[in-house]
Amino acid sequence: EDQVTQSPEALRLQEGESSSLNCSYTVSGLRGLFWYRQDPGKGPEFLFTLYSAGEEKEKERLKATLTKKESFLHITAPKPEDSATYLCAVQAGGFQKLVFGTGTRLLVSP
Amino acid sequence: GAVVSQHPSRVICKSGTSVKIECRSLDFQATTMFWYRQFPKQSLMLMATSNEGSKATYEQGVEKDKFLINHASLTLSTLTVTSAHPEDSSFYICSASWRELAEAFFGQGTRLTVV
């Protein structure tokens, strides 16, 4: 069974304090790994798609990387507006559906 | 990014009644739409996958007679919660994808409260 595990469950940072979120996965035939951001009471907002080990994507203060077993979401010099839950999901095998991790709740204090 | 609109954003209904939630892809044709349920501080639980013009595929444990899904066109899918009960109260979210291996875009979600 495909599994996605995110750590830490919650992370508290000071503004400007860089850190990384982890997403480890066990799947049969990874087709794509997706990162989303979710604000309370809203639907997830798409951030990145990664397809193969070694691939990296960047957007503003966020950078996503992928290896054969895990993905990292690096947050550089975060701001309070980066506070949200970050979700990782994988698409694997012959299926189009996404399998989600439980998310990392990030809180950035001024 | 692409826009997926979900309506209504909040609904309160009486126990025993049915509620319909709409999910529309506004600027692309969605070959596949997904419906999720999310409990407080938990991740998204996939309920069903629907492809335009065919029957939805439900995940194990999801009652297909209770959660009716219709994907009548490439831009619209609906979820009807039939004979709703308080335990059906939850946050329901749809997503839409235009092709395989493409990212899915999510609607704003619908907060359903059954009283």
Side-chain angles (χ1 to χ4, degrees), chain B residues 30-50:
Chain B
T31 54
T32 307
M33 286 187 170
F34 305 86
W35 286 95
Y36 295 85
R37 185 172 178 176
Q38 188 174 34
F39 294 100
K41 296 190 177 182
Q42 294 190 26
S43 193
L44 284 73
M45 182 190 81
L46 180 66
M47 299 173 66
T49 302
S50 74

Side-chain angles (χ1 to χ4, degrees), chain B residues 80-102:
Chain B
T80 301
V81 183
T82 62
S83 187
H85 287 94
E87 57 265 30
D88 298 323
S89 298
S90 191
F91 191 54
Y92 293 88
I93 315 174
C94 72
S95 72
S97 180
W98 61 284
R99 66 170 175 83
E100 287 191 45
L101 295 187

Side-chain angles (χ1 to χ4, degrees), chain A residues 56-73:
Chain A
E56 298 183 353
K57 294 266 179 81
E58 279 189 77
K59 179 182 177 181
E60 296 180 355
R61 296 178 291 283
L62 300 177
K63 179 179 176 180
T65 62
L66 180 65
T67 72
K68 288 186 178 179
K69 293 183 179 181
E70 59 192 348
S71 176
F72 290 94
L73 184 66

Side-chain angles (χ1 to χ4, degrees), chain A residues 4-16:
Chain A
V4 179
T5 304
Q6 290 188 247
S7 62
E9 188 175 312
L11 180 62
R12 194 164 197 153
L13 299 174
Q14 288 293 121
E15 185 171 1

